[in-house]
Amino acid sequence: RKTIYVNSELLNLIKFDITRYFSQIFLLILFLSKGYKSPISIFIIYFLACFISILLNVKCIPKIWINKKSFTKYFKRNWLISKWLFSQSIISWFQSNYLLFLTNFTLGPFSLGLIRAFQSILGINNIFLNSIDSWLPVKTAEIFKEKSPSNFRKSINQIILNYYFLFLVVFLFFIIFSNLILFFFDKSTLNYLFSFRLFCITYLLIALNYPIK
């Protein structure tokens, strides 16, 4: 996906996503209409949708030729530069999942399901986070190439401030309209309105750390 994005072939990304999501919806309706409602069915649907997406869009996948000697050379060089990312990835994984493990261990599967439901509602935030992850490295490389170090720093600070403001607006929307959002998601979750608002504030603080990283 990153290779396609860097090559500015956004139309191919849209084809991948449309194929996958429409396949998931179609297969979900088909499986449910036939009475297959087990967790295994959901995993099969997800697998088939991804496989169909790749199969129908195989021509869109960039052809990447790798020279063994060059690969070894650049791998060693990049490892020296970015080996700290290995430990950072472990820490990030722990930060992302320790709350779920502790919740399930101490409060049981119902509370775990409730937090997962909140995370699903706040999944709109992932659009912005993934956008940063895909767009920011390319944009910063362009800025660094074209501008002086001092201007580069100012540009990055401005980008971070803009995203802070965007995150704040999004999460204020979630907090203000939390009654309506939970009602449409599932009426039973209205009993946990305060918990959801507290989760929104916590999630906002986590999200604000993302551009800094």
Side-chain angles (χ1 to χ4, degrees), residues 78-164:
N78 290 331
W79 175 250
L80 292 175
I81 297 173
S82 59
K83 58 185 177 183
W84 62 274
L85 286 172
F86 182 74
S87 58
Q88 176 63 28
S89 298
I90 295 176
I91 293 172
S92 297
W93 178 87
F94 179 78
Q95 289 176 336
S96 301
N97 294 282
Y98 83 98
L99 178 62
L100 299 179
F101 287 127
L102 290 179
T103 301
N104 185 55
F105 182 74
T106 57
L107 301 178
F110 179 82
S111 297
L112 174 63
L114 189 65
I115 290 182
R116 290 297 295 166
F118 290 167
Q119 288 181 334
S120 297
I121 294 172
L122 295 181
I124 186 68
N125 175 65
N126 293 330
I127 295 175
F128 301 112
L129 295 182
N130 290 330
S131 297
I132 294 174
D133 189 43
S134 298
W135 172 78
L136 191 56
V138 178
K139 185 62 178 178
T140 51
E142 291 177 356
I143 295 173
F144 188 76
K145 182 179 179 181
E146 296 173 0
K147 299 185 178 182
S148 64
S150 59
N151 288 331
F152 174 76
R153 184 179 293 106
K154 290 178 182 178
S155 299
I156 297 304
N157 287 337
Q158 187 60 48
I159 290 173
I160 292 175
L161 287 175
N162 290 342
Y163 270 99
Y164 278 172

Side-chain angles (χ1 to χ4, degrees), residues 177-189:
F177 296 99
S178 53
N179 265 306
L180 190 63
I181 293 170
L182 291 180
F183 175 80
F184 281 108
F185 185 81
D186 193 310
K187 293 181 182 179
S188 63
T189 56

Side-chain angles (χ1 to χ4, degrees), residues 4-132:
I4 294 174
Y5 180 84
V6 170
N7 289 333
S8 300
E9 298 174 355
L10 298 182
L11 185 60
N12 289 339
L13 278 182
I14 294 174
K15 289 179 181 178
F16 265 103
D17 291 338
I18 289 177
T19 307
R20 181 159 61 92
Y21 290 124
F22 272 91
S23 298
Q24 285 181 8
I25 294 172
F26 172 77
L27 291 171
L28 184 62
I29 294 173
L30 180 64
F31 273 59
L32 292 178
S33 65
K34 299 295 182 179
Y36 300 107
K37 300 179 180 180
S38 67
I40 294 178
S41 300
I42 301 299
F43 289 128
I44 292 175
I45 290 171
Y46 192 75
F47 164 78
L48 288 176
C50 293
F51 180 75
I52 291 172
S53 178
I54 293 174
L55 190 64
L56 295 181
N57 296 282
V58 67
K59 292 183 179 179
C60 299
I61 299 175
K63 293 178 176 61
I64 304 174
W65 303 101
I66 299 176
N67 180 280
K68 185 178 180 181
K69 185 177 180 180
S70 297
F71 175 80
T72 305
K73 174 185 174 183
Y74 287 115
F75 177 82
K76 290 179 179 179
R77 189 183 69 174
N78 290 331
W79 175 250
L80 292 175
I81 297 173
S82 59
K83 58 185 177 183
W84 62 274
L85 286 172
F86 182 74
S87 58
Q88 176 63 28
S89 298
I90 295 176
I91 293 172
S92 297
W93 178 87
F94 179 78
Q95 289 176 336
S96 301
N97 294 282
Y98 83 98
L99 178 62
L100 299 179
F101 287 127
L102 290 179
T103 301
N104 185 55
F105 182 74
T106 57
L107 301 178
F110 179 82
S111 297
L112 174 63
L114 189 65
I115 290 182
R116 290 297 295 166
F118 290 167
Q119 288 181 334
S120 297
I121 294 172
L122 295 181
I124 186 68
N125 175 65
N126 293 330
I127 295 175
F128 301 112
L129 295 182
N130 290 330
S131 297
I132 294 174

Side-chain angles (χ1 to χ4, degrees), residues 167-200:
F167 284 142
L168 186 61
V169 170
V170 170
F171 280 95
L172 282 176
F173 173 84
F174 278 118
I175 293 171
I176 294 171
F177 296 99
S178 53
N179 265 306
L180 190 63
I181 293 170
L182 291 180
F183 175 80
F184 281 108
F185 185 81
D186 193 310
K187 293 181 182 179
S188 63
T189 56
L190 285 171
N191 298 324
Y192 305 93
L193 182 61
F194 175 77
S195 299
F196 177 71
R197 286 173 174 167
L198 182 61
F199 191 80
C200 286

